[in-house]
């Protein structure tokens, strides 16, 4: 049994988590190539945390080499699995022109193939009119995450344009009151949800329409354009801005029945996380405001995020991770505070860093997985970014895998 340890400071927690990454431990101790729970994520995290330490860089390279050898490394899938996961890590780890060039050249056709497959599946769902499957379009498994990777690998390539064009289509007006991007099935699960038997509109950045909005906005801000992109951004952003809870912030989902009948939103439970809740959704709206220079969207995003931070009892977070923990909240608040100049958001950063360090201390004491999305590696990245702030670039920002920029 582990004894409870006094909470480490952010700097101490960062050092401890970095040391653990020398021997990464997955959720089941089985090496996989994945970005969220596998060796690609561990390699990327350690490379970022290593800084100028060449020995740690070599260890990170070893993790990436092990990811390449792991079963499924050359397979298809979304951003967090197979070839896409390895490619994201390799591209972000490269420090010199041509580094990992051979590996990326081998992986890129697989990424293009995965994106084309997701685009075809998305269009098939749209044509059927029975709701979209989240894995066709979302950030984790779908086209939004793959499009963000393609923006890094080949921003002007035809595969990138194809992915963005497919993401534009669900934002086109439908024939009724229900947006075309509604999802049939339960959030993140196969089959129907007893609480939403006819499906839902997903407002989470990880699995809902904020993912496509974010990547379309990031592409627009970088000058990567396809027909209908601006109209799609405007349609999705206006819908999000109009669908806030009466108490403020965004729900995780809206039932199809409520959307069809125009029922007002209720104050259903939510969380202050990246995956679902106001922080992730507000970030997507903020990126849309940046892309189309809409002050109203930016103001709404900042105001809602600041309001969500005011009452920690409503955060409903779990652990220090990026997905639904304090680390993800810290990173979103830092990015938005820096880019908006909001003093109200910046004032929360010290306490958020302390909370992340506290939760990370608990996770380290319990030998929690050293993974990127839900484990200690992602929390360490958030703390590192807080302690060593620098202007992100499209090529070197690790949080591109979260569609934060």
């Amino acid at each position: 049994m582990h004894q409870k340890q006094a909470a480490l400071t952010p700097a101490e927690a960062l050092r401890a988590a970095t040391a653990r990454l020398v021997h990464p431990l997955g959720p089941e101790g089985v090496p996989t190539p994945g970005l969220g729970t596998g060796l690609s994520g561990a390699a990327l995290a350690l490379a970022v945390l290593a800084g100028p330490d060449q020995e740690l860089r070599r260890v990170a390279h070893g993790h990436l080499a092990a990811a390449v050898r792991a079963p499924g490394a050359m397979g298809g899938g979304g951003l967090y699995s197979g070839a896409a996961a390895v490619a994201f890590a390799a591209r972000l780890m490269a420090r010199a022109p041509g580094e990992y060039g051979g590996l990326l050249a081998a992986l890129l056709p697989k990424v293009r193939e995965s994106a084309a497959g997701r685009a075809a599946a998305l269009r098939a769902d749209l044509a059927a009119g029975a709701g979209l499957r989240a894995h066709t379009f979302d950030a984790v498994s779908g086209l939004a995450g793959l499009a963000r990777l393609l923006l890094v690998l080949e921003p002007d390539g035809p595969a990138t344009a194809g992915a963005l064009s497919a993401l534009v289509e669900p934002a086109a007006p439908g024939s009724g009151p229900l947006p075309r991007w509604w999802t049939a099935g339960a959030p993140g699960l196969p089959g129907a949800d007893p609480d939403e038997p006819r499906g839902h509109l997903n407002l989470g950045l990880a699995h809902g329409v904020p993912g496509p909005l974010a990547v379309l906005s990031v592409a627009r801000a970088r000058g990567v354009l396809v027909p209908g992109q601006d109209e799609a951004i405007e349609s999705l952003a206006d819908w999000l801005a109009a669908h806030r809870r009466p108490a403020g912030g965004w729900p995780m989902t809206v039932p199809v029945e409520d959307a069809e009948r125009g029922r007002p939103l209720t104050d259903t439970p939510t969380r202050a996380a990246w995956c679902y809740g106001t922080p992730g959704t507000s970030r997507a709206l903020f990126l849309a405001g940046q892309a189309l220079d809409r002050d109203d969207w930016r103001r709404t995003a900042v105001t809602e995020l600041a309001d969500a931070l005011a009452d920690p009892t409503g955060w409903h977070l779990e652990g220090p991770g990026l997905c639904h923990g304090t680390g993800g909240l810290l990173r979103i608040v830092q990015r938005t505070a820096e880019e908006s100049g909001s003093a109200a958001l910046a004032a929360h950063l010290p306490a958020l860093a302390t909370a992340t360090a506290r939760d990370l201390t608990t996770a380290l004491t319990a030998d929690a997985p050293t993974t990127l999305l839900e484990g200690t590696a992602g929390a360490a990245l958030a703390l590192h970014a807080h302690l060593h702030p620098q202007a992100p670039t499209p090529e070197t920002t690790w949080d591109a895998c979260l569609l934060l920029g």
Side-chain angles (χ1 to χ4, degrees):
M1 179 179 295
H2 297 282
Q3 293 183 344
K4 187 173 182 179
Q5 178 180 332
L8 301 172
T9 67
E12 291 169 340
L14 175 58
R15 287 193 294 270
T18 301
R20 290 283 180 90
L21 272 167
V22 172
H23 301 288
L25 174 67
E28 299 176 358
V30 179
T32 68
L35 189 64
T37 60
L39 287 164
S40 292
L44 171 62
L46 188 56
V48 173
L49 299 173
D53 188 321
Q54 291 303 309
E55 179 56 33
L56 287 181
R57 289 273 308 163
R58 283 190 287 272
V59 174
H61 173 79
H63 293 345
L64 184 64
V68 173
R69 296 190 298 269
M74 296 300 290
L79 175 59
Y80 281 79
S81 62
V86 178
F88 184 87
R91 181 62 186 86
L92 272 290
M93 288 170 66
R95 297 288 181 90
E99 189 175 5
Y100 300 122
L103 174 60
L104 289 168
L107 294 169
L108 182 54
K110 298 287 186 180
V111 176
R112 291 171 178 156
E113 182 181 345
S114 292
R118 291 293 195 267
L122 172 59
R123 290 187 167 112
D125 283 358
L126 285 172
L132 303 184
R133 292 165 293 172
H135 78 269
T136 66
F137 71 90
D138 74 7
V140 174
S141 302
L143 198 54
L146 291 168
R148 186 63 186 92
L149 173 58
L150 287 166
L151 281 171
V152 176
L153 297 178
E154 48 174 10
D156 298 321
T160 307
L164 295 174
S165 294
L167 289 172
V168 162
E169 294 185 24
S175 58
L178 196 63
R180 299 178 75 210
W181 47 267
W182 70 276
T183 302
L189 298 171
D193 184 336
D195 295 328
E196 298 172 338
R198 291 189 50 217
H200 64 282
L201 295 120
N202 195 308
L203 278 68
L205 181 52
H207 299 297
V209 73
L213 175 60
V215 76
L216 289 171
S217 300
V218 169
R220 177 66 167 79
R222 285 156 176 74
V224 181
L225 308 175
V226 297
Q229 187 170 342
D230 284 1
E231 293 81 0
I233 293 171
E234 186 169 7
S235 172
L236 296 175
D238 278 342
W239 193 94
L240 285 179
H243 285 77
R244 286 170 281 166
R245 302 186 313 157
W250 283 273
M252 294 189 283
T253 62
V254 176
V256 160
E257 294 88 343
D258 290 355
E260 282 185 327
R261 297 171 186 173
R263 291 174 179 163
L265 293 182
T266 59
D267 285 322
T268 54
T270 187
R271 67 194 328 174
W274 167 74
C275 56
Y276 282 101
T278 294
T281 306
S282 72
R283 182 63 189 171
L285 185 62
F286 184 85
L287 290 171
Q290 295 285 76
L292 296 187
D293 194 23
R294 287 282 298 267
D295 282 338
D296 55 336
W297 295 340
R298 286 188 293 242
R299 285 195 303 270
T300 296
V302 170
T303 298
E304 296 296 345
L305 180 55
D307 288 349
L309 292 171
D311 181 14
T313 63
W315 292 358
H316 303 300
L317 299 176
E318 301 172 22
L322 297 175
C323 183
H324 44 258
T326 45
L329 182 57
L330 170 62
R331 187 59 185 147
I332 291 171
V333 174
Q334 182 182 357
R335 286 289 309 256
T336 308
E338 289 172 347
E339 294 165 21
S340 67
S342 169
L345 292 182
H348 287 279
L349 291 173
L352 282 171
T354 298
T356 302
R358 177 201 64 215
D359 293 342
L360 183 53
T361 300
T362 301
L364 291 168
T365 303
D367 291 330
T370 51
T371 54
L372 180 69
L373 196 56
E374 298 183 17
T376 60
L381 285 173
L383 284 176
H384 180 271
H386 171 70
L387 294 171
H388 306 282
Q390 58 183 351
T393 68
E395 293 79 18
T396 60
T397 308
W398 61 264
D399 62 9
C401 67
L402 303 176
L403 306 191
L404 297 187

